[in-house]
Amino acid sequence: MPLHEGSSPAAEPSAKRRRLALNPFFGEADPIAGMELAPPRHRLPDGPMPPSIAYNLVHDELMLDGNSRLNLATFVTTWMEPQAGVLMSECSDKNMIDKDEYPRTAELERRCVAMLADLWHAPDPSTAVGCSTTGSSEACMLAGMALKRRWAARNADRYPAARPNLVMGVNVQVCWEKFCNFWEIEARQVPMEGDRFHLDPQAAADLCDENTIGVIGILGSTFDGSYEPIAELCAALDALQERTGLDIPVHVDGASGAMVAPFLDEDLVWDFRLPRVSSINTSGHKYGLVYPGIGWALWRSPAELPEELVFRVNYLGGEMPTFALNFSRPGAQVVAQYYTFLRLGRDGYRAVQQASRDVARTLAERIEGLGDFRLLTRGDQLPVFALTTAPGVEAYDVFDVSRRLREHGWLVPAYTFPANRQDLAVLRVVCRNGFSSDLAELLVGDLRRVLPDLRRQPHPLSRDKQVVTSFHH
């Protein structure tokens, strides 16, 4: 039996051809109804559309995002248990600021503050004050405001004529530069020198004077994952006070390390055990193991948080003190933090963070063993390490490596260090819960696959060193 070709549309003038802009399957009852025009992208559509169509349009576009689990640039949590997701969905409509309307959510926030105060060795966890925030950036702003107000109260005879300053390493997260800009503070930064990629305690003390509101210590630098020596910093400031009488408080930016060190480095003294540490912040959405955005700010005692900064709302017939820059925000992340604290406990957190550190250290050793790279850090503090190309590697640079790994789905940031090490360009790998040893093995395999091509290059192809990937997460 002969095969016959179907008639063409040109041979059938009466046939209607409709150019479809959307997937016909998006139409539920009629597969082609309403599929001819895509909605506008930069103005509101004229009318509504079925929820399934709206969902599929947004869903399809988001497929072009990178895979968050393969994003080794971010410190932010990219995996949680399904039960945590359910709780967050159940609480997404609760406004965290309405503490009198959602008293149990407010109570969970209060419990989290108490748990962190105990974890960080506050002299009296029952009296330590703190609050949740949208992340460490807001928490740092609050801590900085408290430092400035305390300094202004001590120097009421000179302020506002005298300009306050804040001392920090050049490696601080960008939020501290924003704080100094927004609140008109002089930022005094200790530069990097040689193989020291964070603050030097004595250099920080030397920058302090009567206008210094505080010194920032970073427990886990975003540049290389290293801890700054908080105890040594406090000792240098103790010596400064003995010589000059200047009493300079320390704030510890523990965005990442404050949820790692208490479990893996219990003998490291960095927290409220040091009398000079007046406040600490952390990101619950980093190694606190909660989806973004949740942060925490805690003060040693009520004396460290000026009363005029605290607002009070009615709570269960009494007053609930609040201190935050943001007003309306969902209670979901606070609930998820409490869930995670209950779910894991100290032993669970220790196991999770140790697993991440083990992956980081092993992965760093495997990459070092390839022979093309030199490690700057090894993942033995934060589960984070930085590396650069080894001496003699001239055919490619870290920007080429980052670009080629992206072709395999891996997001590994490449960037240059700040003053005085702008000459140093590095890759940084952040290992988080959910980045398993199996995934690390796949990363090494893909790195092996791209190296032969990179070695054959005549020169590095990524000439524009200003185009770097984001790393301030």
Side-chain angles (χ1 to χ4, degrees):
M1 181 177 181
L3 296 177
H4 297 279
E5 292 184 0
S7 59
S8 66
E12 299 181 16
S14 61
K16 292 184 177 180
R17 298 186 63 192
R18 302 175 64 179
R19 187 181 298 275
L20 301 183
L22 307 178
N23 187 335
F25 281 96
F26 287 1
E28 293 182 350
D30 182 347
I32 60 174
M35 299 294 108
E36 297 180 23
L37 294 177
R41 294 182 178 180
H42 304 292
R43 65 175 179 82
L44 283 173
D46 294 331
M49 67 176 61
S52 61
I53 297 179
Y55 168 82
N56 280 296
L57 287 173
V58 178
H59 174 81
D60 283 359
E61 185 159 352
L62 290 177
M63 288 194 301
L64 297 176
D65 275 345
N67 186 327
S68 64
R69 293 283 296 281
L70 302 183
N71 183 359
L72 302 183
T74 183
F75 286 82
V76 172
T77 295
T78 55
W79 184 89
M80 290 189 75
E81 293 175 309
Q83 293 87 341
V86 172
L87 274 176
M88 294 182 74
S89 177
E90 292 172 351
C91 299
S92 60
D93 61 340
K94 295 182 179 181
N95 190 351
M96 192 65 224
I97 202 65
D98 293 336
K99 299 183 186 299
D100 56 337
E101 296 179 21
Y102 307 114
R104 301 324 302 170
T105 303
E107 170 63 14
L108 298 190
E109 179 188 30
R110 189 191 67 80
R111 293 178 191 175
C112 288
V113 168
M115 289 177 177
L116 290 170
D118 177 66
L119 185 68
W120 296 338
H121 300 96
D124 183 358
S126 65
T127 63
V129 293
C131 62
S132 66
T133 63
T134 55
S136 271
S137 292
E138 181 187 358
C140 291
M141 297 284 177
L142 299 179
M145 289 169 60
L147 290 175
K148 182 180 179 182
R149 287 296 182 93
R150 289 176 59 200
W151 173 86
R154 295 192 304 268
N155 295 271
D157 57 329
R158 299 189 307 111
Y159 182 74
R163 187 186 182 191
N165 65 73
L166 184 65
V167 175
M168 64 195 84
V170 72
N171 58 303
V172 293
Q173 214 269 0
V174 69
C175 68
W176 287 109
E177 298 175 23
K178 289 183 178 180
F179 166 75
C180 291
N181 188 351
F182 295 165
W183 274 271
E184 299 181 325
I185 307 290
E186 177 192 355
R188 295 186 174 179
Q189 295 186 317
V190 178
M192 295 180 177
E193 295 290 348
D195 291 332
R196 175 180 57 76
F197 304 125
H198 54 227
L199 174 144
D200 174 73
Q202 188 55 54
D206 292 343
L207 289 177
C208 295
D209 58 24
E210 67 275 8
N211 293 329
T212 302
I213 66 174
V215 179
I216 306 302
I218 308 295
L219 195 71
S221 172
T222 60
F223 280 89
D224 64 354
S226 63
Y227 294 159
E228 290 191 333
I230 308 299
E232 289 85 344
L233 172 62
C234 290
L237 295 174
D238 289 343
L240 176 69
Q241 184 175 7
E242 290 180 6
R243 295 194 311 270
T244 66
L246 293 174
D247 185 8
I248 309 295
V250 169
H251 171 79
V252 177
D253 183 348
S256 296
M259 292 305 297
V260 174
F263 306 109
L264 301 187
D265 309 293
E266 297 181 69
D267 294 333
L268 180 67
V269 178
W270 62 273
D271 52 16
F272 290 128
R273 286 171 288 183
L274 298 167
R276 196 166 290 279
V277 173
S278 65
S279 51
I280 301 171
N281 72 273
T282 197
S283 290
H285 62 224
K286 293 180 181 174
Y287 288 100
L289 308 180
V290 174
Y291 287 140
I294 178 72
W296 300 93
L298 268 71
W299 289 263
R300 168 184 294 276
S301 70
E304 275 74 27
L305 180 58
E307 180 63 27
E308 66 267 22
L309 293 177
V310 179
F311 292 82
R312 300 184 180 276
V313 298
N314 185 278
Y315 170 62
L316 295 180
E319 286 187 329
M320 164 67 78
T322 67
F323 181 31
L325 296 179
N326 289 287
F327 201 70
S328 296
R329 58 187 175 90
Q333 283 79 6
V334 169
V335 171
Q337 184 74 85
Y338 185 68
Y339 165 85
T340 307
F341 283 167
L342 286 185
R343 172 75 173 91
L344 294 178
R346 287 179 180 254
D347 288 344
Y349 263 96
R350 185 175 298 110
V352 170
Q353 312 300 37
Q354 185 65 59
S356 294
R357 180 179 283 182
D358 290 344
V359 169
R361 294 176 67 175
T362 301
L363 179 57
E365 292 174 1
R366 294 288 306 280
I367 292 177
E368 184 181 40
L370 297 174
D372 288 53
F373 302 99
R374 176 173 66 90
L375 295 178
L376 305 182
T377 49
R378 296 180 171 273
D380 52 1
Q381 293 183 336
L382 287 188
V384 175
F385 62 94
L387 62 148
T388 188
T389 49
V393 174
E394 299 180 356
Y396 63 91
D397 58 19
V398 295
F399 300 96
D400 291 327
V401 177
S402 177
R403 173 177 50 81
R404 290 302 306 274
L405 286 177
R406 183 180 285 265
E407 295 173 3
H408 293 265
W410 301 103
L411 304 179
V412 181
Y415 52 90
T416 56
F417 273 17
N420 292 333
R421 290 307 312 270
Q422 295 98 325
D423 61 300
L424 182 60
V426 305
L427 296 161
R428 189 199 62 200
V429 177
V430 177
C431 299
R432 307 176 306 279
N433 183 41
F435 181 67
S436 63
S437 57
D438 288 340
L439 287 174
E441 186 67 27
L442 292 175
L443 173 62
V444 173
D446 286 336
L447 186 55
R448 287 182 184 275
R449 276 183 278 276
V450 303
L451 281 177
D453 285 343
L454 291 172
R455 292 166 181 159
R456 286 191 292 268
Q457 290 183 178
H459 55 71
L461 302 181
S462 302
R463 293 299 191 183
D464 187 0
K465 300 302 187 290
Q466 299 303 314
V467 181
V468 296
T469 52
S470 176
F471 63 95
H472 281 298
H473 293 294

